[in-house]
């Protein structure tokens, strides 16, 4: 094998480091910024990946508050995205590249949420940036991230873990304005 | 352009109502409008005056605010209600936008919110300002978004404050759905 021509195959763990990451890190800074990550990701349409979702993901893995992820942290980002891709493929049962209301209900019920049927319509309406009545990959992730954040803040107040919280008006406003 | 306040009382036919023109121009056969259609409707009506028209996100919030049957659409009566409320908010904003820049400063947002009758702690106000402020200023569209949320959240909270002590109980599933709808 001529060493200068060798490239790891996409299945190899080295692929990420040797081939993919240098392509993503366009300015060769050693840090993947929001816009570099956004360009590397696809939501299944020709529109850019949801920038709010990109920001959420970067901030989840950026341990130094530098506004981007280094190559070490990027491994976490990549696993996170891959996990979401697997979930999305599982629930996109008709393989349309979008998750419709029924598929969304199955996904969230599968995650353990118990939500009314009409509410799924509200969720699609709220998160569907493509205006298709179904959610693309990035908007699906965004929806799940917000649901998770609300759950986390609820849990913080639900100290006896009985599924109920009692909050003052002020607490309620602060909880919600920080998230939605 | 203020709401005329004349003519069409509850018993009058919608067609005689001056607002009906704007509404029917975008509403379909079902007499309901979606967030997109509301956006067009409000832009055409010029209710925002010289301010930038409302974003789709803010329009979605406005539909949700009055959406009692969770249909994600708005009928004509709801539209009328919205119109009056929007006029009030617009007037409040104008009174604080003294330099006519189309924005108000952070502390002016606080004053505006207080002038609308809300009594909030400095911490809660800080949360709200942080959410809507860009470089120390708040635009009209964001101001309306803030007002819609405050009104809807306060409404939801009051319904669950059964003892009227300023404390409300939320069950988890209910909390998720209420908060996400706003």
């Amino acid at each position: 094998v001529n060493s200068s021509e060798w490239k790891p195959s996409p299945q190899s763990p080295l692929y990420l480091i040797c081939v993919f990451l240098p392509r993503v890190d366009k300015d060769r800074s050693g840090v993947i910024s929001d816009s570099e990550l956004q360009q590397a990701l696809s939501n299944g349409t020709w529109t850019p990946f949801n920038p709010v979702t990109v920001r959420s993901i970067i901030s989840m893995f950026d341990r130094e508050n530098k506004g981007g992820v280094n190559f070490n942290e990027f491994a976490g980002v990549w696993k996170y995205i891959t996990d979401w891709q697997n979930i999305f493929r599982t629930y996109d049962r008709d393989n349309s590249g979008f998750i419709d209301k029924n598929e969304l209900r199955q996904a969230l019920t599968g995650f353990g949420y118990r939500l009314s049927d009409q509410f799924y319509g509200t969720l699609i309406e709220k998160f569907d940036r493509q205006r298709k009545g179904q959610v693309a990959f990035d908007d699906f992730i965004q929806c799940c991230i917000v649901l998770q954040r609300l759950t986390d803040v609820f849990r913080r107040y639900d100290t006896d873990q009985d599924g109920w919280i009692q909050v003052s008006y002020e607490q309620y406003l602060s909880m919600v304005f920080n998230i939605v | 352009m203020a709401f005329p306040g004349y003519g069409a009382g509850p018993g009058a036919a919608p067609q005689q109502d001056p607002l009906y023109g704007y509404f029917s121009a975008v509403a379909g056969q079902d007499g309901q409008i979606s967030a997109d259609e509301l956006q067009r409707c409000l832009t055409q009506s010029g209710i925002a005056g010289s301010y930038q028209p409302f974003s789709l996100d803010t329009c979605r919030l406005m539909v949700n605010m009055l959406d009692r049957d969770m249909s994600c659409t708005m009928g004509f009566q709801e539209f009328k209600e919205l119109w009056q409320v929007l006029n009030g908010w617009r007037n409040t904003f104008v009174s604080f936008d003294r330099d006519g820049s189309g924005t108000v400063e952070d502390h002016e947002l606080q004053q505006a919110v207080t002038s609308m009758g809300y009594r909030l702690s400095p911490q809660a106000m800080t949360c709200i300002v942080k959410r809507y402020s860009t470089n120390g200023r708040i635009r009209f569209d964001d101001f309306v978004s803030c007002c819609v949320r405050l009104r809807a959240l306060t409404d939801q909270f009051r319904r669950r404050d059964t003892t009227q002590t300023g404390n409300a109980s939320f069950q988890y599933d209910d909390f998720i759905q209420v908060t996400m709808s706003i």
Side-chain angles (χ1 to χ4, degrees), chain A:
Chain A
V1 174
N2 185 331
S3 61
S4 67
E5 286 169 2
W6 176 82
K7 276 193 163 60
S9 72
Q11 286 74 28
S12 156
L14 289 176
Y15 185 82
L16 192 65
I17 302 287
C18 300
V19 180
F20 188 76
L21 264 180
R23 281 193 208 145
V24 176
D25 181 20
K26 292 209 162 81
D27 64 358
R28 301 209 171 299
S29 62
V31 173
I32 310 292
S33 64
D34 280 39
S35 72
E36 285 168 343
L37 181 62
Q38 187 189 35
Q39 286 170 62
L41 297 174
S42 165
N43 59 22
T45 76
W46 293 109
T47 63
F49 207 86
N50 188 339
V52 176
T53 313
V54 171
R55 177 90 292 270
S56 298
I57 295 174
I58 297 262
S59 67
M60 268 179 226
F61 291 94
D62 174 12
R63 282 178 218 116
E64 301 152 341
N65 223 357
K66 54 191 174 308
V69 290
N70 60 33
F71 284 18
N72 271 328
E73 294 160 339
F74 187 80
V77 168
W78 203 245
K79 177 167 192 320
Y80 186 78
I81 306 268
T82 312
D83 287 348
W84 276 117
Q85 278 174 340
N86 291 334
I87 293 172
F88 190 83
R89 269 186 216 126
T90 305
Y91 289 99
D92 176 21
R93 298 196 201 281
D94 60 3
N95 253 331
S96 62
F98 289 86
I99 283 192
D100 64 31
K101 187 176 153 182
N102 283 325
E103 292 164 340
L104 183 64
R105 189 197 304 119
Q106 282 162 31
L108 296 182
T109 310
F111 299 159
Y113 292 103
R114 282 177 321 219
L115 308 164
S116 78
D117 194 61
Q118 290 158 319
F119 183 64
Y120 291 101
T122 306
L123 280 181
I124 302 256
E125 169 71 7
K126 190 179 168 79
F127 289 98
D128 167 31
R129 292 180 318 135
Q130 309 294 335
R131 313 307 294 153
K132 276 183 65 103
Q134 309 180 55
V135 283
F137 179 52
D138 52 354
D139 296 336
F140 173 72
I141 297 177
Q142 188 56 31
C143 173
C144 296
I145 285 178
V146 175
L147 279 172
Q148 186 58 54
R149 284 196 190 134
L150 283 175
T151 302
D152 288 346
V153 78
F154 186 92
R155 277 212 187 107
R156 247 180 276 145
Y157 283 84
D158 184 20
T159 42
D160 61 1
Q161 296 195 48
D162 66 348
W164 282 85
I165 58 172
Q166 204 188 46
V167 287
S168 73
Y169 178 60
E170 303 263 326
Q171 284 172 326
Y172 183 56
L173 290 185
S174 311
M175 279 166 99
V176 175
F177 272 106
N178 275 327
I179 296 175
V180 293

Side-chain angles (χ1 to χ4, degrees), chain B residues 16 22 24 29 40 43 98 112 129 135 139 150 160:
Chain B
Q16 291 161 8
Y22 296 123
S24 56
Q29 293 280 43
R40 284 209 318 267
T43 306
R98 295 181 191 96
V129 167
N135 298 325
R139 294 169 324 193
L150 264 179
R160 288 160 183 80

Side-chain angles (χ1 to χ4, degrees), chain B residues 30-92:
Chain B
D30 59 356
Q32 300 278 321
I33 58 175
S34 64
D36 312 60
E37 289 161 342
L38 178 64
Q39 187 185 37
R40 284 209 318 267
C41 189
L42 291 176
T43 306
Q44 279 162 22
S45 74
I47 189 177
S50 56
Y51 296 130
Q52 288 221 310
F54 300 110
S55 69
L56 189 56
D57 232 42
T58 303
C59 290
R60 196 177 304 121
L61 280 178
M62 291 192 272
V63 171
N64 279 341
M65 178 175 83
L66 298 167
D67 184 18
R68 288 169 190 112
D69 57 5
M70 280 187 108
S71 62
C72 297
T73 57
M74 178 182 283
F76 180 60
Q77 290 308 321
E78 292 153 338
F79 177 72
K80 280 177 67 164
E81 209 183 311
L82 176 67
W83 185 268
Q84 288 191 305
V85 164
L86 266 180
N87 259 303
W89 289 336
R90 208 250 343 253
N91 292 337
T92 302

Side-chain angles (χ1 to χ4, degrees), chain B residues 104-121:
Chain B
V104 298
E105 294 170 36
D106 290 357
H107 70 275
E108 288 168 334
L109 176 66
Q110 296 199 32
Q111 288 165 23
V113 165
T114 308
S115 80
M116 292 186 300
Y118 294 101
R119 295 279 169 271
L120 304 176
S121 69

